[in-house]
Amino acid sequence: MKRRNGLYLLALLLIAILIMGLCFGSASLSIKELLTKGLVRTIVFKLRLPRVLGALLSGMALSVSGLILQIITDNDLCSPNIIGVNSGAGLMVMVVLCFLGGNRFLLPIASFLGAFLTTLLVIAISSSSTAHSSRTAIVLTGVAISSLFSAFISLLSQLYPDVLPSYVYFQTGGFNGIYFKDLIIPSLIISTGLFAVCLLKNQLEIMLLKDDIAISLGVDTRKTRILAMVIASALTAASVTYAGLLGFVGLLVPHMARKIFGSRMDVLIAATALLGAILTIFADLLGRVLFAPSEISAGVLLAFIGAPFFIYLLFNRRNS
């Protein structure tokens, strides 16, 4: 009952932060102005609402993707940006933008392939490593691959400078300049992915135990891992297509959700999605109002929070 009440509280907090995202920015508006002034309504619904919805979808997608990756790799340091999934998706987005004319329908497909193949590559390389424990090898391999793919993204952005309005903004991630048309395909992918995670929740909960126990309970761990990787890759890819390489949401939020709500999977998935949405909307809102009328991307603020947290996790693991 306490967990359910906690989810209700998160839902109310999300609604409140959504309203704040519509009201506040370089110019603050009252709720009355939102409802009564025609020009204001146009600005809000054409500019701010797509931005807030984009942040909501991206927060849910990346946080749940991070949760899935942490479960299937048995590694609480995993997240889409840490192990290079973001960069793999971003590189394929750049390839489509540079060589295929930026086809809007190809972007999600290419981004998914980049994310999925990167996940496979990281797991394959790390599992063949004998120099480190498998959990550490995943992180080290992911960091190396992420750096390599980021270098390729940087190279393409310099060779084709007109492809991206702002390479820096794409690299850090953010929600400026998002319109409803940019969210049509990603929203379908993310909603489908979240529904698929809910269908897979029982298998994921059992996989929190050791593999041999999960197998004895009738779970096909290999099949579950592949399905989970597909879902995590799709969620990450959908976010990258419009939000860029937004980092640390998938690392921070699953830890927060587990700390507050425990490991019961149905509650954990819902809490992770809600917390992820709240965090990204709040980061975007803060970036708009801190130095208004100038703006800081949400990815920069999330990095300021996420990087120290990642270092803390590393030291905490070393001490334990």
Side-chain angles (χ1 to χ4, degrees):
M1 190 65 181
K2 288 182 179 179
R3 290 174 179 172
R4 185 174 297 176
N5 290 337
L7 290 178
Y8 291 151
L9 184 61
L10 283 182
L12 290 174
L13 183 58
L14 177 58
I15 293 170
I17 204 78
L18 280 168
I19 295 172
M20 290 173 64
L22 294 177
C23 290
F24 298 109
S26 56
S28 297
L29 305 169
S30 68
I31 294 178
K32 183 179 179 181
E33 286 177 313
L34 292 182
L35 299 174
T36 58
K37 294 188 177 181
L39 179 60
V40 169
R41 284 205 307 271
T42 300
I43 293 172
V44 167
F45 289 107
K46 286 192 175 181
L47 298 178
R48 288 190 184 175
L49 183 58
R51 182 171 184 157
V52 169
L53 290 178
L56 180 147
L57 289 169
S58 187
M60 287 185 168
L62 292 175
S63 58
V64 173
S65 177
L67 175 65
I68 295 170
L69 290 172
Q70 289 175 15
I71 291 172
I72 65 174
T73 61
D74 188 28
N75 190 332
D76 58 359
L77 294 178
C78 272
S79 73
N81 69 304
I82 296 296
I83 68 167
V85 180
N86 269 13
S87 298
L91 178 59
M92 291 302 289
V93 167
M94 283 296 295
V95 169
V96 172
L97 291 174
C98 293
F99 303 110
L100 298 174
N103 188 303
R104 189 175 300 278
F105 294 100
L106 281 179
L107 280 179
I109 299 171
S111 185
F112 165 74
L113 287 175
F116 182 66
L117 292 176
T118 301
T119 308
L120 284 178
L121 182 63
V122 169
I123 291 177
I125 293 175
S126 61
S127 63
S128 64
S129 171
T130 58
H132 303 276
S133 69
S134 60
R135 299 174 76 187
T136 305
I138 287 174
V139 175
L140 293 175
T141 304
V143 169
I145 288 176
S146 179
S147 299
L148 177 64
F149 287 172
S150 294
F152 276 116
I153 293 172
S154 180
L155 175 65
L156 289 174
S157 71
Q158 292 181 37
L159 293 176
Y160 299 89
D162 297 331
V163 164
L164 285 178
S166 171
Y167 166 70
V168 173
Y169 203 85
F170 179 79
Q171 187 74 10
T172 56
F175 307 102
N176 186 29
I178 292 175
Y179 300 99
F180 280 120
K181 64 181 180 180
D182 302 316
L183 299 176
I184 295 173
I185 297 177
S187 64
L188 292 173
I189 295 172
I190 291 170
S191 57
T192 303
L194 293 175
F195 178 71
V197 174
C198 293
L199 295 180
L200 205 62
K201 67 180 186 298
N202 292 333
Q203 292 94 315
L204 290 173
E205 188 160 17
I206 294 173
M207 285 189 68
L208 289 172
L209 308 171
K210 297 295 182 182
D211 271 15
D212 53 351
I213 299 175
I215 292 170
S216 69
L217 293 173
V219 174
D220 186 336
T221 55
R222 183 174 177 274
K223 180 180 177 182
T224 300
R225 276 198 175 88
I226 292 173
L227 284 173
M229 283 167 55
V230 169
I231 296 169
S233 300
L235 290 171
T236 300
S239 172
V240 168
T241 56
Y242 69 87
L245 307 184
L246 200 67
F248 293 108
V249 179
L251 177 69
L252 276 167
V253 176
H255 281 273
M256 294 167 58
R258 275 195 296 266
K259 194 76 173 177
I260 299 170
F261 292 92
S263 57
R264 180 178 159 184
M265 194 55 58
D266 54 348
V267 176
L268 184 57
I269 291 169
T272 300
L274 290 171
L275 279 170
I278 291 168
L279 180 64
T280 48
I281 295 172
F282 180 72
D284 182 57
L285 176 61
L286 205 59
R288 281 188 275 155
V289 301
L290 274 181
F291 300 100
S294 299
E295 186 174 306
I296 302 172
S297 70
V300 171
L301 294 175
L302 289 169
F304 274 119
I305 303 170
F309 183 73
F310 180 64
I311 294 170
Y312 162 76
L313 289 177
L314 285 173
F315 275 100
N316 190 51
R317 171 175 289 184
R318 180 183 176 184
N319 292 335
S320 62

